[in-house]
Amino acid sequence: MDALPEGVVQHILSHLSNARDVASCAAVARCWRDCMPFLPSLYFPRGAFDAVGGGPASASASAVAAADDTIGHMVDAAARLEELVVYCPFSASLLPRWLAALAATLRVLELRVDSSAAADKSGHLDSIGVAAGLEELRLWGLAMTRAPAWGRMERLRVLEVVGAVLEDAAVNGAVAACPNLTDLALLGCECAGEAVISLALLERCRLDFVGSGNCSLRFAAPRVESLEIQGFSLISLQGGHRLKHLTISKNTGTVYHVEMGKLPELDQLSLRGVQWSWGAINSVLQCAGEVKHLVMKVEFCGDYDTLQPFPEIDLVEFFNSHPKLRKFEIHGAMFAALCQKNSLKKLDSRFVIPSLEQVLVTVRSPLNAEQKLNTLESIVRYSVRLRRMVIRISQMKNCHDAADDFFEEICKFTYMNSWRVCIE
């Protein structure tokens, strides 16, 4: 290392980012310490100061003080810092000073806010707006009850908020402050009310809201290509002409209403949840006529708290309405709704499922066994490109002898079509 030119040494050390590694190298020699101004990135891991505070169980005052002192010194020394990631506990009151020192160069900021500062009652997180050149912002574990005073962050392209407690005004205000986002992720966030997201340049979006309340979403993004929504009861989507991947789910509660236009470019659609209203399911399926990969895993139907079975789904109309469908996954009660005598009567030699290649069926009940077998046989018979059908029966409710009889018939069906059908 002594034989290397100073510029080469600086270049090698500039690839360091972990604060502990940077501190260790700075203690080797004065010339190495002089490389601090050229560091583009600094990363303070979660347990960086555990030894000072007595272990990871708690963020002691001494550990926080050590973190504040070290972060402050390194931020002051790194005059060209572009990325700052802080996972360890720190004093939020010092954040405005750090960001002011880095405002001219900082491009990526990621902060984990501990419970002591999560509520941000003093508005320290408003200082993020000082770093007007930010392109990526990630925040963990905060609580926001009002819109942040960031001003307009024109250069911000990526915004991620994880594990936060948010008011709808905070969500709407934060999104409105970042008009040029291409990537938005609000993950594991507690929120109630109505979220309004209107972003002209957005391409990828993940919204994961937790809680049992009824939260609504108004979403408009003409360029969005991938959209994952979880936790909303009322959904309105505008501008899905470029949408290729769409997931709508709700782990608790009911999806009552989904409103959207045609989705001509849709490749993959996933509908998941405990309970959906049939109107919401039907609305999505009508708009997704060009879909190629469809996942339908909804347990029950019904508009209110009463859980109801699904209405009949006409098998012929369903596949005629989705002629490009290549991969199809259907679960339990929804598969039972597809197995109706009236639908099977319409099958004739002219009917064909033109594109279907892979099918995954989860069977949860032996009821109406004959109709279910007939439907499986029809899918195999009329799918001219079918390569694989997987029948998943590991969760079937074995409540009486009918389950054994049904399983035997499934085994026979699998044996007769062993080159394409298998049991999982």
Side-chain angles (χ1 to χ4, degrees), residues 264-343:
E265 300 295 326
L266 193 65
D267 288 331
Q268 183 171 346
L269 171 64
S270 178
L271 307 181
R272 300 174 182 269
V274 177
Q275 183 179 8
W276 281 54
S277 75
W278 177 246
I281 294 176
N282 196 39
S283 174
V284 176
L285 291 179
Q286 287 182 357
C287 296
E290 306 298 315
V291 68
K292 300 176 180 64
H293 180 185
L294 177 60
V295 179
M296 299 173 69
K297 189 175 181 180
V298 181
E299 298 286 347
F300 298 99
C301 192
D303 292 327
Y304 302 101
D305 293 336
T306 303
L307 302 178
Q308 300 175 352
F310 290 92
E312 294 184 6
I313 302 175
D314 189 285
L315 184 142
V316 175
E317 291 182 2
F318 175 81
F319 283 106
N320 284 341
S321 300
H322 303 88
K324 297 182 180 181
L325 191 61
R326 295 179 182 175
K327 188 174 182 180
F328 185 35
E329 300 178 33
I330 189 166
H331 177 85
M334 298 200 75
F335 173 66
L338 199 64
C339 304
Q340 301 296 332
K341 291 182 178 180
N342 295 334
S343 175

Side-chain angles (χ1 to χ4, degrees), residues 210-410:
V210 298
S212 57
N214 292 329
C215 193
S216 60
L217 171 67
R218 282 196 290 136
F219 184 91
R223 295 190 180 184
V224 68
E225 296 181 358
S226 177
L227 177 59
E228 299 178 21
I229 302 172
Q230 200 289 129
F232 295 92
S233 297
L234 305 169
I235 302 169
S236 174
L237 304 180
Q238 297 179 11
H241 298 292
R242 297 188 180 183
L243 196 60
K244 292 180 171 59
H245 304 278
L246 174 61
T247 297
I248 304 177
S249 61
K250 189 163 176 39
N251 297 331
T252 59
T254 306
V255 178
Y256 293 107
H257 179 75
V258 179
E259 178 183 350
M260 63 177 66
K262 294 295 184 181
L263 307 174
E265 300 295 326
L266 193 65
D267 288 331
Q268 183 171 346
L269 171 64
S270 178
L271 307 181
R272 300 174 182 269
V274 177
Q275 183 179 8
W276 281 54
S277 75
W278 177 246
I281 294 176
N282 196 39
S283 174
V284 176
L285 291 179
Q286 287 182 357
C287 296
E290 306 298 315
V291 68
K292 300 176 180 64
H293 180 185
L294 177 60
V295 179
M296 299 173 69
K297 189 175 181 180
V298 181
E299 298 286 347
F300 298 99
C301 192
D303 292 327
Y304 302 101
D305 293 336
T306 303
L307 302 178
Q308 300 175 352
F310 290 92
E312 294 184 6
I313 302 175
D314 189 285
L315 184 142
V316 175
E317 291 182 2
F318 175 81
F319 283 106
N320 284 341
S321 300
H322 303 88
K324 297 182 180 181
L325 191 61
R326 295 179 182 175
K327 188 174 182 180
F328 185 35
E329 300 178 33
I330 189 166
H331 177 85
M334 298 200 75
F335 173 66
L338 199 64
C339 304
Q340 301 296 332
K341 291 182 178 180
N342 295 334
S343 175
L344 297 177
K345 288 180 179 178
K346 298 181 181 180
L347 295 176
D348 55 42
S349 58
R350 293 174 295 178
F351 172 68
V352 66
I353 304 175
S355 304
L356 193 63
E357 297 178 359
Q358 300 180 52
V359 179
L360 171 59
V361 177
T362 301
V363 182
R364 296 292 302 274
S365 170
L367 299 178
N368 301 320
E370 182 179 356
Q371 295 175 26
K372 292 178 180 178
L373 282 168
N374 288 338
T375 300
L376 293 173
E377 291 172 355
S378 299
I379 292 175
V380 171
R381 182 182 305 119
Y382 294 102
S383 298
V384 293
R385 295 187 178 181
L386 186 66
R387 293 188 289 107
R388 199 66 171 167
M389 172 185 282
V390 177
I391 305 173
R392 180 177 293 167
I393 59 174
S394 59
Q395 297 176 338
M396 187 166 66
K397 298 176 182 178
N398 189 359
C399 51
H400 44 67
D401 293 340
D404 295 331
D405 297 337
F406 183 42
F407 179 72
E408 185 176 353
E409 293 298 325
I410 292 256

Side-chain angles (χ1 to χ4, degrees), residues 73-131:
H73 278 93
M74 286 190 169
V75 165
D76 290 339
R80 302 182 183 181
L81 198 65
E82 297 181 1
E83 179 179 6
L84 176 62
V85 179
V86 183
Y87 283 167
C88 63
F90 66 94
S91 298
S93 60
L94 296 176
L95 185 62
R97 184 173 71 82
W98 299 340
L99 294 180
L102 301 173
T105 60
L106 196 62
R107 298 292 178 264
V108 179
L109 177 63
E110 186 165 351
L111 301 173
R112 179 174 183 137
V113 184
D114 280 292
S115 57
S116 59
D120 191 32
K121 296 178 180 179
S122 301
H124 299 305
L125 292 179
D126 289 341
S127 62
I128 291 174
V130 173

